[in-house]
């Protein structure tokens, strides 16, 4: 081995040793940052065994992201009625960005209301939770399961 090759090899080994001693920040730290998002919505629909509702809303997140949204609810069960939610609110937790808000949430609930109607539910989509509350008008009675979908408007 020549002196030049020996010197290069020693320099490379020294650099490699120095690099392993450098502190390395975990790459997943940014991925685990939790963001809270808030949904304001209005929704109207009907049910007679099959449940269908549509509405609009707006999502704002505490990281500054926001978006207008479309909401749809479909499902089935032993239900009957017609309803409207005017001032609905939702709290969305366990998201990393507003992109995690969009999609289908599993829904199951029992409804009972005449004239003044209200709703309070917790829906899930994987590890993401959506807690809904709202008041409105209508007549609804029954037990149903379904899908609550939030998409970009």
């Amino acid at each position: 081995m020549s002196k030049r090759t020996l010197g290069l090899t020693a320099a490379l080994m020294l650099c490699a040793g120095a690099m392993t001693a450098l502190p390395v920040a975990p790459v997943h730290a940014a991925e685990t940052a939790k963001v809270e998002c808030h949904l304001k919505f209005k929704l109207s629909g009907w049910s007679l065994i099959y449940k269908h509702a549509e509405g609009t809303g707006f999502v704002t997140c505490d990281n500054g992201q926001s978006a207008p949204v479309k909401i749809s609810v479909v499902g089935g069960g032993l239900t009957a009625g017609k309803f409207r939610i005017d001032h609905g609110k939702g709290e969305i937790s366990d998201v990393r960005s507003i992109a995690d808000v969009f999609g289908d949430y599993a829904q199951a609930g029992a409804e009972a209301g005449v004239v003044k109607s209200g709703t309070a539910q917790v829906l899930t989509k994987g590890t993401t939770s959506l807690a809904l509350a709202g008041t409105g008008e209508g007549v609804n009675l029954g037990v149903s399961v379904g899908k609550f979908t939030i998409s970009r408007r």
Side-chain angles (χ1 to χ4, degrees), residues 9 26 119 140 145:
T9 304
T119 184
N140 53 323
V145 294

Side-chain angles (χ1 to χ4, degrees), residues 22-29:
L22 292 175
V24 178
V27 174
H28 61 82

Side-chain angles (χ1 to χ4, degrees), residues 5-76:
T5 307
L6 187 58
L8 272 172
T9 304
L12 286 173
M13 290 175 65
L14 184 62
C15 287
M19 288 178 64
T20 58
L22 292 175
V24 178
V27 174
H28 61 82
E31 294 175 349
T32 59
K34 298 297 180 193
V35 175
E36 293 291 322
C37 296
H38 312 280
L39 169 67
K40 290 188 179 183
F41 69 96
K42 58 183 179 178
L43 182 71
S44 63
W46 54 268
S47 65
L48 182 57
I49 300 176
Y50 177 77
K51 183 177 184 178
H52 177 81
E54 292 183 347
T56 58
F58 200 80
V59 174
T60 56
C61 299
D62 60 9
N63 66 356
Q65 296 175 312
S66 62
V69 297
K70 177 182 164 187
I71 298 169
S72 64
V73 178
V74 295

